Amino acid sequence: MSDKNVHNAGFTPSGISQGSLASSMMSREAKESGGGVRSGGPTSTLQEMGARGTTHTSGYTSDGISSGSLASSRMSQEARSHGGGTPRGGTTSTVQSI
């Protein structure tokens, strides 16, 4: 994953771009949660990376999730809360796919 991919998806230093994949994700996530976007979810995680330009330093790479990274920690936490696996559409899988 690269910062360019995150920015191209609409997660930018100036916020989420109108009409982008990011805005669609934000809308869907807000509807599913009753009107808000939760901290630590896919949209907020990607926006944080887009604003800071921190995809590789977070551990989400084109070769997968780096051992010992923030991404690895988030993946472990998500797996524990879902009985051992990371769910499709969850934060880990969504962020890694972008």
Side-chain angles (χ1 to χ4, degrees):
M1 174 189 340
S2 72
D3 293 325
K4 181 179 175 184
N5 291 353
V6 173
H7 291 163
N8 286 344
F11 299 99
T12 72
S14 58
I16 291 178
S17 301
Q18 189 173 17
S20 65
L21 172 63
S23 67
S24 295
M25 284 178 61
M26 182 176 68
S27 176
R28 186 183 73 236
E29 191 174 333
K31 287 176 186 173
E32 290 172 357
S33 67
V37 176
R38 68 180 175 84
S39 177
T43 301
S44 65
T45 301
L46 283 162
Q47 181 53 40
E48 179 183 350
M49 285 191 244
R52 294 184 182 178
T54 59
T55 56
H56 284 291
T57 59
S58 295
Y60 297 95
T61 74
S62 57
D63 292 327
I65 293 177
S66 299
S67 178
S69 66
L70 174 62
S72 172
S73 175
R74 286 184 176 170
M75 182 176 71
S76 293
Q77 181 181 17
E78 190 174 16
R80 281 191 304 274
S81 68
H82 288 91
T86 55
R88 174 174 272 193
T91 301
T92 301
S93 63
T94 301
V95 173
Q96 184 60 33
S97 72
I98 298 271

